[in-house]
Amino acid sequence: AWCMDPGGRHRFGTAFLAQILRRCFPDDEFDEDTLASTSPATEVDGSNSRADIVVRGPGLRLIIEAKVDAAEGWDQCQRLYEDHDHDDARFVFLTPRGRPPVSWKGLDGVWVPLSLRWVYDALEQLCAATGEEREAAAEHSLRSYLATMKKEFR
């Protein structure tokens, strides 16, 4: 979530969020002003679910469910969809290998699978492109995060 915050000390601006949206929703267009107005939140409660990450902005609601060591809960993606189903909602299922959810019985294409390897590669490229602009503490945090991701998911 921190890497998708346009005002974060990582100095990515909207670049990481834009990459995720282009990768997962290539037919949709997202303008810079919309992305610059977004705000990520974690552990967002719905009436029957809890989303790992929700990024909200004008005309955009991105729901990301991440699965690393835990299994999907009973009808988890179905409940997330029902709690967050809006015209502007888009759903991403983030796993180490980018597998689709098994707890979704709805239409194909609603939940877009994304791999942590793709996230690692995207963040590594952004770090290389923006490293000089970042504060030392943010650079250290990103490098530590990437080292963990490389060890676990690369």
Side-chain angles (χ1 to χ4, degrees):
W2 178 63
C3 293
M4 289 183 277
D5 182 351
R9 294 181 324 162
H10 47 65
R11 300 282 198 251
F12 294 156
T14 62
F16 184 60
L17 177 58
Q19 283 188 358
I20 289 173
L21 292 169
R22 278 193 306 269
R23 161 62 179 78
C24 294
F25 309 100
D27 296 333
D28 296 342
E29 293 185 25
F30 305 94
D31 65 65
E32 182 67 25
D33 291 337
T34 296
L35 297 184
S37 299
T38 59
S39 174
T42 59
E43 300 297 319
V44 177
D45 287 325
S47 57
N48 294 305
S49 67
R50 178 177 293 149
D52 289 327
I53 301 171
V54 176
V55 180
R56 289 187 181 116
L60 174 65
R61 181 183 306 233
L62 177 63
I63 291 79
I64 300 175
E65 182 59 26
K67 289 294 171 197
V68 177
D69 290 327
E72 287 174 65
W74 175 80
D75 281 345
Q76 184 174 15
C77 287
Q78 183 67 39
R79 289 182 285 117
L80 280 163
Y81 176 80
E82 290 168 1
D83 281 348
H84 296 279
D85 181 24
H86 303 281
D87 290 339
D88 59 358
R90 290 163 181 85
F91 298 87
V92 172
F93 193 68
L94 180 63
T95 64
R97 299 192 189 279
R99 70 168 176 82
V102 296
S103 61
W104 170 246
K105 308 297 185 226
L107 299 172
D108 288 342
V110 171
W111 281 94
V112 178
L114 184 64
S115 74
L116 283 162
R117 182 177 185 156
W118 182 92
V119 169
Y120 171 86
D121 290 341
L123 285 174
E124 189 176 53
Q125 290 171 3
L126 280 173
C127 282
T130 60
E132 293 178 10
E133 302 168 14
R134 225 176 343 274
E135 297 173 24
E139 182 69 19
H140 176 75
S141 295
L142 279 168
R143 290 294 167 192
S144 177
Y145 184 63
L146 281 171
T148 300
M149 288 186 74
K150 185 175 185 176
K151 177 182 166 194
E152 297 294 327
F153 308 116
R154 196 78 166 92

